[in-house]
Amino acid sequence: MTTTEPPPAGGHVPTVSSNGSSHDRTTGFGPKPGADPQGEAGRKRLGEQLVASGLISEAQLDEALAMQSSGGGLLGEVLVSMGSLTEQALAQALASFFGYEVANLRRESIDSALLDLIPEDVAREYMCFPVRFEGEALCMAVAEPSDELSSRLAQASGKRVKLLIAPMGDIKWAIDSNYHALGNVERLVQVFESVEGSRRRGQEMSESEIVSEDAPIVQLVDSILTQAMRDRTSDVHIEPTGDTVRVRFRIDGAMKEVLTLPGSIGPGLISRIKIMANMNIVERRRPQDGQLTIMIDGREVDVRVATVATVGGEVCVMRLLDKTRSVLKLSELGMPPTTHEAFSKLVRSPFGMVLCAGPTGSGKTTTLYASLSEVNDPTLNIMTIEDPVEYVFPAINQIQTNEQAGLTFANGLRSILRQDPDVILVGEIRDVETTRVAVQSALTGHFVLSSLHATDSVSALHRFLDMGIESFLIASSVLGVVGQRLLRRICPSCKTTYTPTDEEMVFYEESGGAPKSVFYHGAGCNFCANTGYKDRIGVYELLTMTSEIRRLVVGWATQEELRNMAVKQGMSTLKQEAIRLVENDITSIAEVIRGMYTL
């Protein structure tokens, strides 16, 4: 290994190629600054230090070295990909090994003026982020420090650069969160208004103004969708309200206003989205649905579009589906061990029906896909009918509904029955016809998975009764119903103790919460956009159709009678499961009240 002149304090070490050819293949890094390369400190490797620090075991190191030898890459990245080491622990270890400072991007006060020194394309290319000034030196957070990187960043910024180490994930997050795709909106609006002012009053926008890539309307729509993906948005709302157009994102289930645009831009904005989704731009009175696929930051994203006319103008809602996101396993959904075990048995039944019940945005489709991945087997013929197909399974035959071609859920389900299926997934039961075909399929030897809009597991059975399905058919076909909600997790970066309000404590105690003196919430930080919450976790209740429940269903028992019997037989309700998350400091009382308060 060729040694280099040790850099000065706060200096930099050479980077490593993916195959480690010019450095020690084992560590993927050069020696610690200031250390004697031939001495004990110089010979000590990163892997050995991680083992000595108790961060990983010898077995994990050997496994990572084997993976690195076959696939290349840096040892630290391999350990993180294996799950043996967190990105934060790796950053601390690298900082200690090389003598660098660690940048805490989650708590650091970000000065937006620094972003002008490092363009977004430079930040993404070199995975770096400007943190602060120390004297005349611009402190830059990087994941892989090197002399070459330091000189390139100094050239790009025109400043002397000091490198700090930060986890790769935090750097990616900082870039996405601070280099706003919506930063050029004001300029685009000015260009639009100048063109609008020169247009004759009442004249429609020309086709080039909603199709040309250089048109401000086109760039504005692209910017909105790009920022939505970076903010982990599930739904984008574009709502005209008189003289303004409000743009809101739904992030982790909560709405957030991100833009206020002049009212004159609204029709053009909606028309551009309609063209992208192959919808009728002339028709503005009737509700319309469409779909489009777009590449955002190298990721393929499906967008479901729905428009409807309101008194303020035409409202558009876009639901974003990241097709590159991996499907969760059943064990990763957050079900308690007993619920997970019981549900796993249900989805392996040879015939019958299992339902996922909950309101819109409660994670029903995620649960269905996790169930499919659990039962996916080459010996089974698995078919689905969905609207739309959100995730593609290579070994499963998936059908997408097409209303214009006459392919509805009911018609598609009938055609599936002639394809010799073993397992059928019906994306959503929306009408009586689909319900009848699904029930008949479950009764004739097929296993049916489906979702249903209902408040909980018990009300899902009553929805079937309200649709006119005979009670004895429901009792014979349905094996179980899982009711679910999604609650926001307390942000791990700003998790801190607090004193709940009197109202929160009364709710907690009346809901059966275990006595505790310390409660947690999120204080708000950069990492969670000062909301105090980051990501979500599922809350589940599983109603299993026992013989007693079946007798109550056949007898048209009330929801209260069904729920009491289910609880008596061991069902843990949604409220009880949510309070358990509060007991374990995963979510807060306020989030339970906001997200799933039930009587």
Side-chain angles (χ1 to χ4, degrees):
M1 173 174 143
T2 303
T3 58
T4 57
E5 191 71 22
H12 322 291
V13 296
T15 190
V16 67
S17 61
S18 60
N19 60 10
S21 58
S22 61
H23 295 281
D24 189 320
R25 183 189 57 79
T26 304
T27 63
F29 296 99
K32 183 177 179 178
D36 176 11
Q38 304 302 322
E40 180 180 354
R43 292 195 308 267
K44 188 171 185 181
R45 298 176 175 184
L46 174 64
E48 295 169 355
Q49 179 172 318
L50 293 174
V51 173
S53 303
L55 294 173
I56 61 172
S57 65
E58 288 280 2
Q60 288 173 324
L61 176 59
D62 292 340
E63 183 182 354
L65 291 175
M67 291 180 64
Q68 185 192 34
S69 178
S70 61
L74 302 175
L75 177 63
E77 292 178 353
V78 174
L79 286 166
V80 170
S81 67
M82 289 169 49
S84 303
L85 199 64
T86 64
E87 287 189 328
Q88 286 73 22
L90 175 62
Q92 292 285 350
L94 290 176
S96 174
F97 191 65
F98 293 122
Y100 286 92
E101 295 179 32
V102 175
N104 187 350
L105 295 179
R106 304 183 180 199
R107 292 300 184 95
E108 194 82 38
S109 296
I110 305 299
D111 185 356
S112 58
L114 298 181
L115 303 180
D116 296 332
L117 299 175
I118 300 293
E120 181 180 354
D121 57 342
V122 173
R124 292 189 181 279
E125 181 180 357
Y126 297 113
M127 271 298 129
C128 62
F129 187 78
V131 180
R132 61 178 180 271
F133 269 109
E134 285 187 4
E136 296 296 321
L138 175 62
C139 294
M140 296 288 299
V142 299
E144 300 174 24
S146 72
D147 279 335
E148 182 184 4
L149 177 58
S150 177
S151 62
R152 289 186 179 180
L153 294 180
Q155 183 179 4
S157 63
K159 304 288 182 181
R160 186 164 62 87
V161 168
K162 175 184 176 182
L163 298 188
L164 310 176
I165 288 184
M168 178 71 78
D170 285 9
I171 294 174
K172 289 179 180 177
W173 160 82
I175 293 172
D176 286 346
S177 301
N178 292 279
Y179 285 98
H180 288 289
L182 298 176
N184 63 343
V185 165
E186 189 174 344
R187 178 185 62 81
L188 294 175
V189 170
Q190 290 175 350
V191 173
F192 171 83
E193 288 182 327
S194 66
V195 175
E196 181 74 11
S198 62
R199 184 188 294 115
R200 295 197 309 273
R201 182 178 297 274
Q203 184 177 347
E204 292 287 338
M205 296 185 70
S206 65
E207 184 176 349
S208 63
E209 290 179 282
I210 50 179
V211 175
S212 172
E213 294 297 325
D214 297 328
I217 285 289
V218 174
Q219 294 182 43
L220 181 57
V221 171
D222 292 346
S223 297
I224 290 173
L225 290 174
T226 299
Q227 189 62 48
M229 280 301 298
R230 293 178 182 177
D231 288 348
R232 302 177 298 106
T233 302
S234 61
D235 299 88
V236 177
H237 293 244
I238 299 176
E239 305 159 332
T241 55
D243 296 333
T244 61
V245 175
R246 182 171 61 170
V247 179
R248 296 193 292 170
F249 292 170
R250 185 177 293 278
I251 304 172
D252 288 338
M255 297 288 281
K256 176 185 177 182
E257 185 168 334
V258 294
L259 269 183
T260 301
L261 302 169
S264 58
I265 209 169
L269 206 60
I270 302 298
S271 294
R272 169 59 184 169
I273 295 169
K274 283 183 173 181
I275 284 180
M276 295 171 69
N278 292 318
M279 298 161 67
N280 186 350
I281 66 170
V282 178
E283 180 56 70
R284 294 178 178 171
R285 297 169 299 174
R286 291 189 305 172
Q288 292 190 65
D289 295 311
Q291 188 174 351
L292 63 101
T293 301
I294 188 172
M295 291 294 294
I296 300 176
D297 291 339
R299 293 182 291 178
E300 189 176 43
V301 181
D302 268 355
V303 184
R304 279 188 284 178
V305 183
T307 61
V308 66
T310 68
V311 292
E314 201 169 12
V315 170
C316 175
V317 176
M318 295 180 283
R319 172 154 291 186
L320 310 184
L321 306 168
D322 185 358
K323 298 183 74 173
T324 62
R325 192 176 62 185
S326 59
V327 176
L328 294 176
K329 297 179 181 178
L330 207 54
S331 58
E332 298 171 340
L333 296 180
M335 289 184 180
T338 52
T339 304
H340 173 253
E341 183 180 355
F343 189 69
S344 295
K345 290 179 180 177
L346 283 181
V347 298
R348 286 181 170 83
S349 302
F351 57 86
M353 180 187 291
V354 173
L355 295 170
C356 293
T360 301
S362 60
K364 299 186 296 296
T365 302
T366 300
T367 302
L368 289 178
Y369 279 144
S371 304
L372 268 193
S373 63
E374 191 88 354
V375 301
N376 193 4
D377 189 295
T379 63
L380 297 175
N381 180 22
I382 303 176
M383 301 194 70
T384 75
I385 176 78
E386 306 169 60
D387 180 25
V389 174
E390 295 186 13
Y391 301 101
V392 177
F393 289 82
I396 293 177
N397 300 307
Q398 296 172 271
I399 301 171
Q400 182 159 314
T401 60
N402 188 333
E403 296 282 349
Q404 293 179 340
L407 180 57
T408 62
F409 274 111
N411 293 338
L413 188 49
R414 287 193 182 93
S415 65
I416 284 176
L417 292 175
R418 294 190 287 272
Q419 299 293 319
D420 184 32
D422 295 298
V423 178
I424 303 170
L425 183 146
V426 183
E428 184 183 337
I429 291 181
R430 298 176 178 173
D431 52 60
V432 178
E433 188 180 8
T434 305
T435 308
R436 284 206 170 276
V437 180
V439 167
Q440 291 165 3
S441 304
L443 290 172
T444 53
H446 305 90
F447 179 68
V448 180
L449 277 165
S450 188
S451 68
L452 185 69
H453 281 90
T455 55
D456 57 25
S457 57
V458 173
S459 63
L461 296 177
H462 267 256
R463 276 216 65 198
F464 268 23
L465 291 169
D466 292 340
M467 286 182 181
I469 306 300
E470 291 79 0
S471 58
F472 63 88
L473 291 180
I474 299 172
S476 302
S477 60
V478 177
L479 301 175
V481 185
V482 59
Q484 62 185 89
R485 291 287 197 285
L486 291 175
L487 295 180
R488 293 181 293 175
R489 294 175 182 263
I490 298 173
C491 174
S493 300
C494 58
K495 188 175 183 178
T496 184
T497 58
Y498 84 114
T499 303
T501 64
D502 292 340
E503 179 188 6
E504 290 175 348
M505 282 306 302
V506 168
F507 174 80
Y508 178 77
E509 292 167 357
E510 289 182 348
S511 301
K516 58 183 296 187
S517 57
V518 180
F519 291 85
Y520 288 86
H521 75 159
C525 65
N526 296 335
F527 201 57
C528 61
N530 291 311
T531 62
Y533 300 98
K534 183 74 164 59
D535 294 327
R536 292 188 286 179
I537 186 171
V539 182
Y540 301 89
E541 66 176 18
L542 179 61
L543 172 66
T544 305
M545 294 292 285
T546 61
S547 55
E548 292 84 1
I549 296 289
R550 286 192 173 95
R551 279 196 291 270
L552 289 175
V553 171
V554 171
W556 276 76
T558 64
Q559 291 192 32
E560 184 180 1
E561 291 171 333
L562 285 169
R563 186 176 292 106
N564 290 339
M565 176 59 72
V567 171
K568 182 179 178 181
Q569 294 183 342
M571 183 184 83
S572 182
T573 65
L574 287 171
K575 184 189 286 188
Q576 290 170 338
E577 286 301 312
I579 292 298
R580 181 182 61 81
L581 295 179
V582 175
E583 293 172 357
N584 295 331
D585 302 322
I586 296 173
T587 192
S588 65
I589 303 174
E591 174 62 10
V592 174
I593 296 174
R594 183 203 71 86
M596 58 142 295
Y597 178 73
T598 55
L599 297 173

